Amino acid sequence: MAKDELSTTRKLSRRQFMQLSGGAAAYAALLACQPSSPVSGSPTPGGATSAPTAKVGGQAIISLGEPDTLGPTSRALVGAYIFSFIANGLVRLKYPDMTVVPDLADSFSPSSDGKTYTFNLHKGVKWHNGQAFSADDVKFTFEFMAHPNNPAPLSIDLANIVGAKDFKEKKATEITGVKASADKIEISLIAPSPNFLTSLAVTKILPKAVLANVSPADIAKDPFARKPIYTGPFKVDEWKSGESVTYSAFTDHFRGRPNLDKIVQRIFPDPSTALAELRSGGIQQAFVTADQFADFQSNPQYQTQQLAGTTGWFLSWDMTNKTFPFGEKPFRQAVSMAIDRKTLVATVFKGLADENYSLASPLSWVYNANAPKNPFDQAKAKQLLDDLGWKVGSGGIREKGGVRLEYATMVTTTTRDWFLAIQPMLQAVGIGTTKVDVVDFPTWISRLNVGKYESTVNGWGNFAIDPRSDLAAHFRSPRTSGDATGYKNDQVDALFAQAATAVSQEEQKRIYDQIQMLAEGDAVYAYLIRPKVLEVNVKALSLPQAKIQAEIYDGMPQWGLS
C-alpha cells in the first residue's frame, strides 16, 4: 500500500484525501468532538499504557518513512506521527477513541451558546529554543493559517472564527475572534460547531518570534520546514534526505522530559533493507508483514505487538451503472454474504486480521455495534440473486435479459491477491469476473469515480481524522470533487445536517448511530477484513502497550531502554 497522507491544516476534498491516502479510498473533512462541560487534566499522550520502568537515557534507532516537510504544510501521515512527539496543539486527540483532551491548554470550556471557547493555558511552557510560549503564539498561529499570503483556502472551521474571513481578505489587520491574554485564549465562532475542537487537535501551534517575518507562502522553503522549533517532548536535530532524521529529548518539556536521550529515524526506500537491519541490530523497532511476524514472535530477542487494523477493506461499485444491479441493495447484500471472511483471515492473512463489517472502527466512539451486517451465508446470497431475477446460466454465471452477471474489478498490486482469493467465493453464487484490472495507484485514484469503473477493492484508514468524518466521507451527499459510488439517502443527509448542530457528544452519538443503521443497512459496501498492524522491537527497548499504531508514536516520551 502506498504511503498514507493527510492534511493537518485544512479541510480536504474527497479527491485530495484519496490522492494522499495510499490505498485507502478516502475523502473527508475535519470534524470535532465537542464536550458538554469543561475538560481538564494532563493525560498520558495517546492514552497508551505506560511502558515498563526504564532508565533515563540512551538512543533508539527506528524505521519510519520520510516526511514531506516538518512545517505546518505537511500532508503526510508520517508527518502526523512525527508531530505527535515534536509539537503540541491547544488540544489533542486521544487514541484510540479519538476524543479531544487537553494539551497546551490545561482546560477548555464552551459558552452556554456554544459560540465561544475559553482555553486556560499551561504555565511555564517553553519552545525548543528556550523562549517562553505565550497566548500570543496561539493567536499568531491562527493568523498564519488565515494570512492573505497563505495560498491554502480557509478551512470551514477556520472561516467560522469571527473575523478570520475579513483577515484573509485584507479587510482587517487581525482575527478579532481570537483574543489572547496572559494565560488564556478565547475564541469566538460565528455559529456553534461540533467540528471546532477536532480542527484544533490537528493544528500545531507555531512560534511567533521565529516565523513572524516568514511569509506563509514561503514556509515550505524556510529552514523551519527541515529543522522546526515546536514545544513537543522531542526536538529535531538533523534531517538527512533519504537517510535519517535525528531527534533529541527536550529536557524542558512542560509534561516532563522523555526517557530516551535520542531517537534516530532511519529511512529505507526498500522494506527488505529495513527487515535486514532489524534482524542484524541496525535498527531496534519497525513494523513488519504477516509473513515475517511469526519469526520475530518466536525469537526471544524481540518483543512484538499485534495492533488493531486501522484500515478496513471492502468491495465497492459504481451504483449508477445500469447494466449491472450495483444500485440494488439485495445485490450488494448478496455479494457480502458470498464472502467467507474467516477463510480470508486464515489463509491470506495467516490469522493476523479481523473480519470487517463497518466503515467506522469498532474502537471508535461513533461505532454502532448494532448496525446491520451481512455475514457469510451463501445460500441466502443465492436466494437474493434469484429474487432479483438473475438466474444461473452457462458456466454457473447468472444471467438476466441476455446480460451475464460478469463485470471487471479494478485492483492494485496490494489488493490483487486478496481479490483472487475472493473471486471463487463470488463465482460460487453465480457472479463472474470479466477482468481483474490491475492498475497503479494514481490510475486507481483517477478512475474511482462514477462512470469510470465497475467494481473495485477499496479501503478506508481510520484514526487519521475524526471518526465522524469517516462516515460523512462515504455516506453524506453531495460529496465534493467526485463520487465513487453514487450513494444517496435523503434520511442520512438530514441526519448529518442535524449532527452538524448537535452540541453534546451524547446527542451526536445518538445521531451517528442512526446514520449507521440506515447507511450500513443500505449495504453500500461489501466489507472484507481489517489487517492487524504488526510491531516488532528489540527486547531492550521498552514501548508502551498500544491498541493502534498512532499510539506507538504518541507515547514516544515513555519509550526507554531497560
Side-chain angles (χ1 to χ4, degrees):
M1 190 159 91
K3 181 173 66 176
D4 290 339
E5 301 185 3
L6 74 158
S7 169
T8 59
T9 58
R10 61 187 177 97
K11 181 175 178 178
L12 294 181
S13 70
R14 170 188 175 275
R15 176 161 299 282
Q16 286 169 324
F17 193 89
M18 285 197 301
Q19 287 171 336
L20 301 173
S21 67
Y27 61 98
L30 296 172
L31 300 175
C33 297
Q34 179 173 337
S36 56
S37 59
V39 181
S40 62
S42 53
T44 300
T49 303
S50 296
T53 301
K55 65 183 181 181
V56 174
Q59 170 179 282
I61 306 174
I62 67 173
S63 172
L64 188 60
E66 187 161 21
D68 53 345
T69 174
L70 293 176
T73 58
S74 175
R75 297 170 67 181
L77 183 57
V78 66
Y81 289 151
I82 293 169
F83 286 137
S84 71
F85 59 82
I86 68 171
N88 296 102
L90 282 176
V91 294
R92 66 190 301 140
L93 291 172
K94 174 179 170 291
Y95 300 112
D97 63 4
M98 301 291 276
T99 52
V100 175
V101 296
D103 200 6
L104 287 169
D106 281 335
S107 64
F108 53 92
S109 58
S111 59
S112 59
D113 64 2
K115 293 172 66 175
T116 301
Y117 281 81
T118 301
F119 298 85
N120 297 304
L121 302 179
H122 191 93
K123 296 179 181 179
V125 176
K126 292 182 180 180
W127 294 99
H128 290 159
N129 61 5
Q131 294 184 355
F133 162 83
S134 75
D136 288 339
D137 293 306
V138 180
K139 184 174 176 66
F140 168 79
T141 299
F142 283 100
E143 292 178 348
F144 191 90
M145 293 164 58
H147 198 280
N149 292 340
N150 192 327
L154 291 181
S155 69
I156 289 176
D157 294 302
L158 185 54
N160 191 34
I161 296 174
V162 172
K165 186 177 180 182
D166 284 346
F167 181 73
K168 181 72 172 178
E169 295 175 353
K170 299 183 180 180
K171 296 177 181 178
T173 58
E174 65 170 338
I175 299 179
T176 55
V178 180
K179 293 182 172 61
S181 57
D183 295 305
K184 189 175 294 185
I185 283 287
E186 185 178 279
I187 301 177
S188 298
L189 306 180
I190 297 171
S193 170
N195 307 350
F196 177 61
L197 285 176
T198 302
S199 295
L200 289 187
V202 296
T203 300
K204 303 308 178 184
I205 303 303
L206 303 170
K208 178 179 180 179
V210 176
L211 296 177
N213 296 320
V214 177
S215 170
D218 299 328
I219 186 63
K221 301 174 184 177
D222 192 84
F224 187 93
R226 296 187 64 85
K227 192 174 181 181
I229 293 171
Y230 291 113
T231 57
F234 285 90
K235 56 185 179 180
V236 179
D237 290 337
E238 186 180 27
W239 176 0
K240 296 180 179 178
S241 295
E243 296 182 21
S244 64
V245 185
T246 303
Y247 313 89
S248 62
F250 182 39
T251 57
D252 287 333
H253 190 252
F254 64 101
R255 302 291 187 200
R257 71 151 285 164
N259 288 331
L260 292 172
D261 289 331
K262 281 189 179 294
I263 298 284
V264 178
Q265 165 194 338
R266 292 186 62 189
I267 299 162
F268 298 103
D270 182 357
S272 64
T273 305
L275 182 64
E277 289 290 297
L278 182 61
R279 285 175 168 152
S280 69
I283 58 176
Q284 297 161 293
Q285 188 270 339
F287 291 87
V288 301
T289 67
D291 290 334
Q292 302 157 353
F293 193 61
D295 289 343
F296 290 104
Q297 277 186 304
S298 60
N299 190 325
Q301 297 179 33
Y302 299 94
Q303 293 180 327
T304 60
Q305 292 190 68
Q306 294 186 33
L307 308 178
T310 53
T311 299
W313 294 90
F314 45 88
L315 295 178
S316 66
W317 307 267
D318 174 3
M319 295 183 194
T320 68
N321 185 301
K322 301 302 182 183
T323 302
F324 301 105
F326 303 151
E328 300 186 62
K329 180 172 76 171
F331 166 79
R332 301 191 299 269
Q333 291 176 310
V335 173
S336 182
M337 293 176 183
I339 297 167
D340 184 354
R341 297 163 185 80
K342 193 177 297 295
T343 294
L344 283 180
V345 169
T347 57
V348 178
F349 296 92
K350 302 185 182 300
L352 298 174
D354 294 313
E355 297 179 30
N356 186 35
Y357 292 99
S358 64
L359 190 76
S361 166
L363 296 176
S364 165
W365 69 271
V366 302
Y367 173 71
N368 183 357
N370 297 316
K373 300 174 177 62
N374 295 292
F376 179 56
D377 187 338
Q378 288 196 339
K380 190 170 182 179
K382 292 176 182 178
Q383 185 62 56
L384 286 169
L385 294 170
D386 285 341
D387 293 345
L388 285 173
W390 291 88
K391 304 301 183 182
V392 176
S394 62
I397 302 303
R398 293 176 180 270
E399 300 177 356
K400 182 180 179 180
V403 176
R404 284 170 63 83
L405 190 51
E406 290 182 301
Y407 51 86
T409 297
M410 182 171 60
V411 298
T412 65
T413 53
T414 297
T415 59
R416 176 188 55 207
D417 290 344
W418 303 356
F419 181 72
L420 292 178
I422 295 166
Q423 195 173 19
M425 302 175 189
L426 300 180
Q427 291 173 340
V429 300
I431 299 173
T433 304
T434 57
K435 182 181 181 182
V436 180
D437 191 8
V438 184
V439 299
D440 60 26
F441 183 67
T443 301
W444 183 79
I445 286 293
S446 69
R447 289 174 53 188
L448 199 64
N449 280 282
V450 292
K452 293 187 176 181
Y453 80 109
E454 293 178 340
S455 174
T456 190
V457 179
N458 208 332
W460 179 263
N462 304 117
F463 306 108
I465 53 177
D466 180 78
R468 289 162 298 184
S469 296
D470 294 345
L471 300 176
H474 294 259
F475 302 143
R476 182 177 60 192
S477 60
R479 289 176 281 279
T480 58
S481 300
D483 181 1
T485 63
Y487 174 70
K488 178 175 174 54
N489 183 315
D490 291 340
Q491 288 179 279
V492 169
D493 293 339
L495 287 167
F496 274 117
Q498 289 180 35
T501 60
V503 175
S504 71
Q505 185 169 305
E506 180 181 2
E507 184 182 0
Q508 291 177 51
K509 171 63 175 169
R510 177 182 59 79
I511 296 171
Y512 282 105
D513 278 353
Q514 294 178 63
I515 287 171
Q516 289 169 87
M517 293 299 293
L518 290 169
E520 299 294 20
D522 284 338
V524 178
Y525 300 123
Y527 294 105
L528 302 172
I529 42 82
R530 287 182 175 273
K532 292 184 182 295
V533 178
L534 307 172
E535 190 274 331
V536 177
N537 59 274
V538 296
K539 206 161 191 178
L541 179 63
S542 300
L543 272 63
Q545 294 297 301
K547 290 184 178 180
I548 64 172
Q549 185 175 1
E551 285 183 277
I552 295 291
Y553 302 111
D554 206 38
M556 194 172 281
Q558 286 77 52
W559 291 26
L561 292 166
S562 56

